[in-house]
Amino acid sequence: MTEARIHDRGYLAYDGPRHGPGRAMVNLSRHTMQRVLGLKRSNWQKVLPALSLLIAFVPAVVFIGIAAFLPQGEELELNSTVNYYGFITGALFLFTAFVAPEAVCTDRRSGMLGLYLASPLNRDTYLVAKFAAVAAILGAMTLGPPLLMLIAYTLADAGPAGVTGWLTELGRILASGTALAVFWTALSLALSSLTPRRSLASVGIFVGLLASSAVGDGLSAGAEFGDSYALLNLVGLPFEAVWRIFGDQQFDAPISSVDTWEIFATLVGLIAAFGAFARWRYQRIQVPG
Amino acid sequence: MSDVVIRARGVQKSYGSNYVLRGLDCDVGRGITGLLGPNGAGKSTFMGLVLGLRPRQGGALHVLGTDPDQSGAELRSRLGYAPEHHDLPGDVQAADLVRHIAQLHGLPRRAATGRASDALWQVGLGEERFRPIGTMSTGQRQRVKMAQALAHDPDLLLLDEPTDGLDPVQRDDMLALIRRVGREFGIDILLSSHLLEEVEQVCDSVVILTNGVVGHSGTLRDLGSAAAGMRVELDSDPRPLAAALADWGAEAVVDGHMLTVTGVTPEAAASDLIRDLVADLGLGLRRLEPRRTTLEDVFIEASR
């Protein structure tokens, strides 16, 4: 029997189905999420995203455990959803400043942006796909733990009273989690669009958030220019919005005396401004070459 | 498919007040076409317009029969593009990158996986396809760029300086691969380069850009058959012959024992005249042949 080998497979034309730009956006979002989370990358690249997710989910697991193993009839002051966001501020901060810039900076540094824009994607669809990828992970952090807690508390008979109360709580969680994810994503993309270097973007976001916090609190509480200046605190603003969504307000903070409509208007305005800035930046980036 | 792959009429593109393309007219036909020009001539800008990455300020441009400004996304799904830069994400495996780009061009995941593997085999990286790109040589990275441009089976391939940074052996291999893609795979190619030699080696046609307009366009076959005077080699100083030719209205450029004669037509008359003058002057003739126009001649003429 002779031994047959194929040495050259030749070139075959492709005449199968082709998807449009919508599927390309989905593919880019999925690929971006994998990269941001460090999947298929070195262990070192997985540390920060894993830490962010751990900080976001571990408190919820602990609270659920307490609720589950609480002896029948024993009363416990369970942690409220609105308080939970206080526990995960660090996780959101860590992810926004040190993990999310990977979504866009590396594409510019490695020249992948040129390849992406030579595909059916354009600058707008590229940005939307990147936004969706980062927002999805942040959304998992802001929505996942409170939803898990809601379900677990309900099963442990410690959830909101009645169907209306339960649905109200669900709506508030969805609104709060979405607002936080969208705000931090828009902020991260806007500042990351300034540089192709991830480390510079991280420092920029970190310093920018700290500076806004110092300026906002300094002008409102320190210099007593007025409580509205507390809106400049980009760390405090979205969390105060969450408190307002839950019909409450932070205790003893200058922003707590600002009208709810002002808080929501500022939040929406900032999200729009960050998005518009990122788009403006990407319209001006030269590719190819 | 039409014989014209890219048709440009009066295409203008400026960045602010600086016009990079100033009314560019050209037809790029099927096969392999070289886009030549010095740095800053507008080659990359033209490629950007072909890809629909930038709107033009004026003129008409049709790529594969469609206007890139009107149907950029649909058009780009039929184009393959290999950029000039060498940076690709170093921690990504070649197969993953090629599959990812194929998926972005519309291929379903399974088809993209299969074709990514095939494309990497075709460019000679079959055994290396699961290596991270960061561990590859410049030549291998150029091949990865070629594979990602090929995997989705484009109708037109845009290659921007594909031999940049390659050593002579890698360069010859890359040119052979480009020839193979153009001839065997039947994919039309627009190859941007500033190296005349490689365009002469692989291209069927050439478009020379200079200062934002087309200085010359045509097939290399036409170029090679166009006479450009006579070349004479003597065994002594050719200046007496040059002086004698000047009396007959010919222009003769001396280069050592060589003489390039232009201005006498037809070719046969020039040949007879030179032969007679050489005999009259008692000079020793080593070689007398028609001189063909080279790409270098055209490039220099177009760049003036």
Side-chain angles (χ1 to χ4, degrees):
Chain A
M1 192 171 71
T2 56
E3 188 179 324
R5 283 186 180 176
I6 298 170
H7 288 283
D8 188 349
R9 299 197 233 187
Y11 181 79
L12 296 173
Y14 176 76
D15 53 8
R18 285 183 193 264
H19 301 300
R23 186 64 71 91
M25 289 169 70
V26 172
N27 280 317
L28 179 59
S29 280
R30 189 167 50 211
H31 180 79
T32 303
M33 281 194 272
Q34 286 177 353
R35 277 199 72 79
V36 167
L37 291 172
L39 305 180
K40 290 192 172 184
R41 302 179 72 195
S42 69
N43 289 336
W44 180 244
Q45 306 291 344
K46 295 178 176 68
V47 171
L48 288 179
L51 193 62
S52 305
L53 289 170
L54 214 63
I55 298 170
F57 277 87
V58 162
V61 173
V62 171
F63 296 141
I64 290 168
I66 293 170
F69 294 109
L70 198 68
Q72 285 286 330
E74 193 150 332
E75 289 288 327
L76 177 75
E77 185 66 30
L78 287 171
N79 213 287
S80 71
T81 305
V82 71
N83 276 329
Y84 190 82
Y85 289 112
F87 286 99
I88 64 167
T89 307
L92 298 178
F93 197 91
L94 182 69
F95 186 88
T96 302
F98 296 102
V99 182
E102 167 68 24
V104 289
C105 291
T106 308
D107 286 350
R108 283 172 66 190
R109 197 166 163 78
S110 68
M112 282 300 288
L113 181 62
L115 290 183
Y116 286 140
L117 297 184
S119 77
L121 296 166
N122 60 32
R123 290 161 201 267
D124 287 338
T125 50
Y126 168 85
L127 265 184
V128 169
K130 291 288 174 177
F131 189 98
V134 176
I137 300 172
L138 274 167
M141 293 163 67
T142 57
L143 290 167
L147 286 175
L148 277 177
M149 285 165 58
L150 176 65
I151 293 166
Y153 287 180
T154 305
L155 292 175
D157 225 8
V163 175
T164 310
W166 197 89
L167 288 175
T168 304
E169 182 75 359
L170 177 66
R172 284 170 168 168
I173 289 172
L174 292 177
S176 304
T178 305
L180 286 175
V182 169
F183 177 80
W184 293 114
T185 302
L187 182 143
S188 176
L189 284 188
L191 294 183
S192 298
S193 71
L194 290 168
T195 172
R197 302 181 79 94
R198 202 183 94 172
S199 52
L200 272 182
S202 292
V203 170
I205 294 168
F206 183 75
V207 171
L209 286 175
L210 288 184
S212 79
S213 181
V215 169
D217 288 352
L219 291 177
S220 56
E224 296 184 350
F225 280 4
D227 289 340
S228 290
Y229 282 94
L231 294 170
L232 295 174
N233 180 345
L234 297 182
V235 181
L237 173 70
F239 291 106
E240 181 62 22
V242 168
W243 279 89
R244 301 300 172 99
I245 288 170
F246 279 87
D248 208 339
Q249 57 197 43
Q250 291 183 63
F251 178 71
D252 202 22
I255 200 169
S256 61
S257 59
V258 178
D259 285 346
T260 299
W261 73 266
E262 278 187 85
I263 287 168
F264 288 144
T266 308
L267 191 75
V268 171
L270 281 173
I271 290 169
F274 288 142
F277 180 76
R279 184 174 186 271
W280 177 78
R281 283 286 304 155
Y282 269 84
Q283 292 297 323
R284 274 149 189 81
I285 292 173
Q286 295 286 329
V287 284
Chain B
M1 189 187 285
S2 161
D3 282 344
V4 176
V5 179
I6 301 172
R7 171 164 289 159
R9 293 289 179 270
V11 170
Q12 296 180 351
K13 176 65 191 169
S14 69
Y15 296 102
S17 59
N18 177 31
Y19 269 82
V20 181
L21 300 178
R22 309 156 184 271
L24 184 145
D25 294 307
C26 71
D27 285 339
V28 173
R30 303 212 55 190
I32 308 175
T33 301
L35 184 63
L36 271 172
N39 288 334
K43 302 190 297 291
S44 292
T45 298
F46 183 60
M47 280 215 170
L49 293 185
V50 168
L51 283 163
L53 300 180
R54 290 279 170 198
R56 57 186 181 274
Q57 266 76 43
L61 179 63
H62 285 90
V63 181
L64 301 173
T66 60
D67 184 339
D69 279 3
Q70 304 296 322
S71 51
E74 186 198 336
L75 173 64
R76 285 192 294 274
S77 70
R78 299 165 63 198
L79 301 180
Y81 170 61
E84 182 181 358
H85 65 78
H86 301 145
D87 313 318
L88 290 170
D91 56 354
V92 176
Q93 291 178 1
D96 284 345
L97 178 94
V98 177
R99 187 196 66 220
H100 176 50
I101 299 296
Q103 282 187 279
L104 292 183
H105 281 85
L107 268 61
R109 184 178 173 83
R110 183 173 291 183
T113 304
R115 288 197 65 88
S117 180
D118 285 349
L120 285 162
W121 276 102
Q122 294 292 351
V123 301
L125 288 177
E127 303 284 357
E128 316 285 337
R129 64 191 188 280
F130 296 120
R131 265 177 63 184
I133 295 168
T135 66
M136 291 181 163
S137 68
T138 305
Q140 288 173 320
R141 287 180 204 200
Q142 290 281 27
R143 285 168 180 272
V144 173
K145 286 195 291 181
M146 180 70 100
Q148 63 79 28
L150 275 176
H152 59 283
D153 189 27
D155 294 330
L156 172 63
L157 198 55
L158 306 173
L159 305 177
D160 200 352
E161 307 280 1
T163 60
D164 194 28
L166 301 186
D167 65 35
V169 175
Q170 291 174 329
R171 194 174 140 268
D172 286 346
D173 288 348
M174 178 55 78
L175 292 177
L177 177 61
I178 292 168
R179 255 197 307 270
R180 188 163 173 242
V181 170
R183 310 266 149 75
E184 289 180 31
F185 299 4
I187 296 173
D188 299 317
I189 298 175
L190 181 64
L191 183 155
S192 165
S193 177
H194 62 275
L195 299 175
L196 305 180
E197 188 192 349
E198 69 182 38
V199 168
E200 272 182 322
Q201 275 187 49
V202 298
C203 293
D204 306 311
S205 313
V206 65
V207 173
I208 300 174
L209 294 188
T210 172
N211 293 323
V213 294
V214 173
H216 175 89
S217 70
T219 66
L220 289 180
R221 185 178 294 170
D222 291 345
L223 207 66
S225 63
M230 302 294 290
R231 188 182 293 274
V232 186
E233 187 179 358
L234 304 177
D235 57 7
S236 57
D237 185 359
R239 275 175 290 193
L241 176 60
L245 282 165
D247 293 341
W248 286 85
E251 189 182 330
V253 178
V254 177
D255 179 15
H257 285 191
M258 301 286 292
L259 204 59
T260 304
V261 183
T262 53
V264 185
T265 51
E267 215 171 79
S271 179
D272 289 347
L273 174 66
I274 293 166
R275 181 200 61 207
D276 293 348
L277 289 174
V278 166
D280 291 348
L281 293 167
L283 301 171
L285 181 64
R286 280 188 183 165
R287 183 159 42 136
L288 174 61
E289 63 184 7
R291 182 177 175 277
R292 301 294 168 202
T293 305
T294 65
L295 188 54
E296 188 178 358
D297 295 332
V298 176
F299 186 79
I300 290 169
E301 184 63 32
S303 302
R304 276 182 185 153

